Amino acid sequence: MDFTSFLTSLGTSFLIFLVLMIVFAFLSSKPGNNVVYYPNRILKGLDPSEGGPKSRNPFSWIKEAMSSSERDIVAMSGVDTAVYFVFLTTVLGILVLSGVILLPVLLPLSATDNAVKRQDGKAQTTSKGTFNELDKLSMANITARSSRLWGFLIACYWVSIVTFVLLWRAYKHVSWLRAEALKSPDVRPQQFAIVVRDIPNATQGQTKKEQVDTYFKAIYPEAFYRSMIVTDNKVVNKTWESLEGFKKKLARAEAVYERSKTTAKPEGTRPTNKTGFLGLIGEKVDSIDYYNDKINELVTKLESEQKVTLREKQQDAALVFFSSRVVAASAAQSLHAQMVDTWSVFDAPEPSQLIWPNLKIKYFQRELRQYLVYVIVALTIFFYMIPITFISAFTTLDNLVKYLPFIKPIVRIKALRTVLEAYLPQLALIIFLALLPKLLLFLSKFEGIPTESHAVRAASGKYYYFIVLNVFIGVTIGGTLFKAFHRIQENPNINEIASLLAESLPGNATFFLTYVALKFFVGYGLELSRIVPLIIYHLKRKYLCKTEAELKEAWQPGDLGYATRVPADMLIVTIVFCYSVIAPVIIPFGVLYFGLGWLVLRNQALKVYVPTYESYGRMWPHIHKRVLASLILYQITMFGYFGAQKFYYTPLVLPLPFLSLIFGFVCGKKFYPAFEHPALEVAANPLKEPPNMELIFRSFIPPSLSSEKIEDERFEDALSSVSRRTAV
């Protein structure tokens, strides 16, 4: 990429962002678009256009975002979202404090040396249009063995120390946030329950329910309330989903019928449908009558299957409820049996978070599945690296013209060529990565993970290692090796390869500079403007939605999507860390990415996204470890680069990775236990009212097993005599 292409990339990206911001200001002021730009406020019963939509300007959202407090974020989007902003603020602080020292110190050191000029035999100037002129602002322009390298070595220590200090402060703050949320005097059902897995076989003449009740009643005689045996709900879930589907179809048919009534034809036209495959074949029937008949049929079938499920499909897992949240917190972190593979427990999540099919999976089966998934992910990473390496090497116009000669006429158009050179490799990489997250989430659930939030964290970790190993390392090594393949062939010794890496690593910063710019300008511009969700909503509203429920479903915004958003941010952290000393000009790009992200996502968290679960900041230890992993990769990279520069004092970099490991170990020992289980002193905080244990119990009943007429008799085999007596 030449210098003109790089400037074109930055300029067009910035222009696109400005246009999208103006589009956002215009479209968000239209009342008909409120459900797209303010769904979070609407669902909470607040005025969607607070501040007056007619007075909005393209920059008013910035003032609103910056004036919001952490308390506002917690109130609108929960603790998990507030913790995510702690992460953005921490990384932004690390980059700003690093840049304050690195930019004024390292740039002059690089610019006043002349290694690039000596290597090429002549000076490179921007007038020749080569982007390599910017190598003079990186370590590529530092002469091997130069004493100037001391400045870069000290900079490595500065970045590491700043990271340690700010991560420590962030961990303390997130711990406080989590404790304050868990201290809440409000009654939360999950704080009065635990999940029990690996229940051993019951003795002869004893039901599974009586076994669980007797066991926990003996251990917690005062606080034990009742238990609920987990059942295999596969069949009943299918029937319930069919019933809900026919209810939606009935509501839709009735809405269509009502709309057909006009002054000229007050009786209207009753809708019809065919009963065969996809409604395309079969007998033609009256839709309203047909759906009513199917609903009545399925209601009877559902009640029958509910009874069969509760009596005959009990699994080796249960939920146990306590009348005290202190006892529940204590039970969740206690060893209940001598053998690790029996009576294993963990604190209950929100009822909607439970992955019910995974609760029955046995201990050793979970362990086996976990290692199997690790192998599959490792193979996926390895085989994905091959195409990503080829993408980084061949998605340049020169290579594409060579292998696809028919595009030569297009490439000859100067303006189009400049744009393609600026965006082609980055767009190819972004599209390629979009195919992966669902596979990783599926694999995480396959491990036997019991909650949605835990599955998201696991998928996020897998995605992080994938994009770091494939995108960062794959693109860097792939680009380097393909650019100088013939040079390695001619002289394939280790010194030549190390020298090549030392010369080429700063040059790869050009790809990542453009990649980061594309992400924060175009990515956050699209995020703010919500063009795609807006178009989809209006198309559905015009052509598909007939009922209020369908309309509401069309504008449901979802959550922030931590499974992909956090790893994507971590990739930027890794890139900026690893190039912060080698090519300090990347630091302002990182600052822009996290600063602009903080502003845009602040607006989205307050007005758009609705969290699907609340884990009270349990994502933070995962984030903390990945930031440290990125820091260690940066320190190892610098050790190798100083060695390639033949710096005599390279071993002085070696303590840094060990200091990072020690820091991570200390943080884990000090802070992590309170994230794994709620502290008892937190759980002991008084409640503003006594808990309604019956409501807490029923909040965990799966939708497919509940009905409008809930009676204990329906759970006669799911509630033993012990628990019924306790309930009374």
Side-chain angles (χ1 to χ4, degrees):
M1 180 191 298
D2 60 26
F3 190 59
T4 303
S5 297
F6 177 70
L7 291 180
T8 301
S9 171
L10 290 183
T12 53
S13 296
F14 180 68
L15 183 62
I16 290 171
F17 177 75
L18 287 180
V19 170
L20 290 174
M21 189 166 63
I22 294 170
V23 167
F24 159 74
F26 174 74
L27 293 177
S28 63
S29 66
K30 304 296 181 183
N33 297 331
N34 282 348
V35 293
V36 176
Y37 293 102
Y38 307 99
N40 193 6
R41 296 186 62 82
I42 291 173
L43 290 173
K44 285 184 169 56
L46 301 174
D47 179 12
S49 54
E50 184 180 6
K54 294 182 180 179
S55 65
R56 298 185 70 85
N57 63 71
F59 304 101
S60 62
W61 62 274
I62 298 177
K63 180 180 178 182
E64 293 168 10
M66 294 189 70
S67 62
S68 64
S69 65
E70 190 172 66
R71 190 180 298 274
D72 296 328
I73 295 294
V74 172
M76 294 299 296
S77 290
V79 178
D80 287 334
T81 305
V83 168
Y84 176 70
F85 281 103
V86 172
F87 159 64
L88 294 181
T89 305
T90 301
V91 175
L92 183 62
I94 291 170
L95 297 183
V96 169
L97 291 177
S98 298
V100 165
I101 300 298
L102 268 58
L103 290 172
V105 173
L106 300 188
L107 291 184
L109 286 176
S110 299
T112 54
D113 209 338
N114 59 351
V116 172
K117 182 176 180 180
R118 284 200 302 271
Q119 287 169 6
D120 293 346
K122 56 182 179 179
Q124 295 181 2
T125 64
T126 53
S127 61
K128 293 186 178 181
T130 56
F131 191 78
N132 288 336
E133 175 66 18
L134 290 186
D135 281 349
K136 293 185 178 181
L137 299 178
S138 71
M139 285 184 73
N141 200 39
I142 300 295
T143 308
R145 304 185 184 91
S146 171
S147 60
R148 294 171 183 247
L149 291 171
W150 274 106
F152 293 87
L153 190 147
I154 294 171
C156 291
Y157 273 86
W158 172 250
V159 173
S160 300
I161 292 170
V162 167
T163 304
F164 295 154
V165 172
L166 294 189
L167 280 181
W168 181 271
R169 292 181 61 186
Y171 220 142
K172 285 184 67 175
H173 182 62
V174 173
S175 297
W176 176 82
L177 272 178
R178 175 174 167 82
E180 288 299 305
L182 294 176
K183 281 180 183 178
S184 171
D186 298 326
V187 175
R188 297 189 178 106
Q190 64 270 23
Q191 291 186 308
F192 294 86
I194 64 171
V195 180
V196 185
R197 306 169 86 179
D198 308 309
I199 299 173
N201 295 328
T203 59
Q204 191 172 5
Q206 187 181 40
T207 66
K208 183 72 67 177
K209 189 67 180 64
E210 289 172 341
Q211 176 194 18
V212 173
D213 287 347
T214 303
Y215 186 85
F216 282 96
K217 182 70 174 176
I219 301 174
Y220 307 101
E222 301 297 329
F224 175 76
Y225 176 67
R226 62 164 59 171
S227 61
M228 178 192 298
I229 297 295
V230 173
T231 53
D232 183 356
N233 301 333
K234 185 176 181 180
V235 175
V236 74
N237 281 347
K238 188 175 180 180
T239 303
W240 180 79
E241 289 167 3
S242 297
L243 176 60
E244 292 299 308
F246 279 114
K247 286 181 179 178
K248 290 180 181 179
K249 289 179 180 179
L250 176 61
R252 181 183 178 88
E254 289 175 340
V256 171
Y257 177 50
E258 287 299 320
R259 290 185 182 184
S260 70
K261 295 179 180 179
T262 61
T263 306
K265 191 178 181 182
E267 72 278 6
T269 303
R270 290 180 70 86
T272 60
N273 67 281
K274 294 182 179 180
T275 59
F277 179 71
L278 295 178
L280 301 175
I281 58 175
E283 181 186 359
K284 195 172 187 178
V285 297
D286 181 284
S287 296
I288 295 176
D289 291 340
Y290 175 72
Y291 294 144
N292 272 316
D293 291 341
K294 295 296 291 185
I295 288 171
N296 292 332
E297 176 188 328
L298 286 171
V299 165
T300 304
K301 183 180 178 182
L302 180 64
E303 290 177 353
S304 174
E305 288 180 353
Q306 285 174 340
K307 293 178 181 178
V308 172
T309 299
L310 291 169
R311 290 177 179 175
E312 302 176 8
K313 298 184 178 181
Q314 297 182 4
Q315 306 295 311
D316 294 333
L319 286 110
V320 177
F321 299 88
F322 301 93
S323 57
S324 166
R325 66 178 182 179
V326 176
V327 175
S330 177
Q333 50 194 292
S334 300
L335 183 66
H336 286 84
Q338 288 282 356
M339 299 297 135
V340 71
D341 60 338
T342 58
W343 298 107
S344 57
V345 300
F346 64 91
D347 46 313
E350 294 172 315
S352 60
Q353 278 200 58
L354 280 169
I355 305 175
W356 294 92
N358 285 358
L359 298 182
K360 65 183 179 183
I361 302 174
K362 290 290 191 179
Y363 177 82
F364 288 110
Q365 189 180 353
R366 297 197 299 269
E367 293 291 308
L368 182 62
R369 285 186 178 211
Q370 187 177 48
Y371 288 116
L372 178 61
V373 167
Y374 288 166
V375 172
I376 293 173
V377 171
L379 292 175
T380 303
I381 291 173
F382 174 77
F383 286 112
Y384 254 71
M385 186 175 286
I386 296 172
I388 283 186
T389 302
F390 274 86
I391 284 175
S392 69
F394 288 114
T395 50
T396 62
L397 283 186
D398 292 338
N399 285 329
L400 288 176
V401 168
K402 181 178 178 181
Y403 294 103
L404 303 173
F406 60 86
I407 68 170
K408 282 184 179 180
I410 300 175
V411 174
R412 286 173 184 160
I413 303 173
K414 186 175 180 181
L416 189 58
R417 179 187 178 93
T418 300
V419 172
L420 288 174
E421 283 187 334
Y423 288 114
L424 188 62
Q426 292 78 11
L427 285 174
L429 183 59
I430 290 171
I431 293 171
F432 198 70
L433 288 175
L435 305 174
L436 187 69
K438 289 191 179 297
L439 170 64
L440 297 180
L441 186 59
F442 167 78
L443 289 174
S444 296
K445 291 183 179 180
F446 178 76
E447 288 182 46
I449 289 173
T451 66
E452 290 288 346
S453 61
H454 190 180
V456 167
R457 293 196 299 273
S460 177
K462 295 176 179 67
Y463 194 49
Y464 164 77
Y465 290 114
F466 173 85
I467 61 175
V468 167
L469 291 172
N470 281 288
V471 178
F472 176 67
I473 297 178
V475 167
T476 301
I477 294 178
T480 300
L481 295 180
F482 275 83
K483 286 178 183 176
F485 182 70
H486 292 295
R487 179 174 164 184
I488 294 175
Q489 276 188 321
E490 293 171 2
N491 192 8
N493 61 70
I494 190 65
N495 292 330
E496 182 64 25
I497 294 174
S499 176
L500 173 64
L501 289 171
E503 295 168 14
S504 302
L505 193 59
N508 285 311
T510 61
F511 173 89
F512 291 118
L513 284 171
T514 312
Y515 179 80
V516 175
L518 186 66
K519 289 279 286 184
F520 68 69
F521 276 139
V522 179
Y524 284 131
L526 290 172
E527 172 72 58
L528 180 67
S529 64
R530 290 182 60 79
I531 293 292
V532 176
L534 180 72
I535 294 171
I536 292 173
Y537 164 70
H538 282 293
L539 288 175
K540 286 183 175 180
R541 185 170 70 94
K542 185 174 180 62
Y543 298 108
L544 299 177
C545 298
K546 303 298 182 184
T547 66
E548 286 298 321
E550 290 177 339
L551 201 60
K552 185 176 180 180
E553 188 176 339
W555 58 259
Q556 280 291 340
D559 59 16
L560 276 167
Y562 298 111
T564 54
R565 190 178 296 278
V566 172
D569 292 339
M570 287 296 181
L571 175 61
I572 305 301
V573 172
T574 304
I575 291 170
V576 179
F577 269 178
C578 290
Y579 281 95
S580 61
V581 174
I582 294 175
V585 289
I586 203 171
I587 294 177
F589 288 82
V591 170
L592 279 172
Y593 176 87
F594 287 101
L596 191 59
W598 187 93
L599 281 174
V600 171
L601 295 175
R602 196 88 167 179
N603 178 81
Q604 307 302 79
L606 291 169
K607 299 170 185 175
V608 178
Y609 291 120
V610 179
T612 55
Y613 62 80
E614 178 62 83
S615 67
Y616 303 103
R618 294 189 73 168
M619 175 68 86
W620 176 256
H622 157 87
I623 292 174
H624 181 268
K625 288 178 182 177
R626 271 55 184 187
V627 173
L628 277 182
S630 299
L631 182 68
I632 292 170
L633 180 60
Y634 148 72
Q635 292 161 345
I636 293 173
T637 300
M638 292 312 303
F639 176 77
Y641 192 76
F642 278 118
Q645 288 287 77
K646 302 175 183 177
F647 186 49
Y648 293 124
Y649 300 98
T650 297
L652 292 178
V653 182
L654 272 179
L656 286 176
F658 294 102
L659 288 175
S660 299
L661 291 172
I662 293 170
F663 174 77
F665 176 79
V666 172
C667 286
K669 288 295 182 182
K670 182 177 177 64
F671 299 112
Y672 181 71
F675 285 83
E676 189 175 15
H677 300 292
L680 298 185
E681 67 175 2
V682 171
N685 218 52
L687 298 168
K688 63 182 179 184
E689 60 183 8
N692 186 327
M693 294 305 300
E694 191 64 19
L695 289 180
I696 289 173
F697 172 81
R698 297 195 182 284
S699 69
F700 279 90
I701 298 175
S704 59
L705 293 179
S706 62
S707 71
E708 295 177 1
K709 297 179 181 179
I710 300 179
E711 299 175 359
D712 274 353
E713 285 74 11
R714 293 185 62 247
F715 289 87
E716 57 183 326
D717 285 324
L719 298 173
S720 71
S721 58
V722 176
S723 61
R724 282 201 295 273
R725 285 197 303 270
T726 308
V728 173

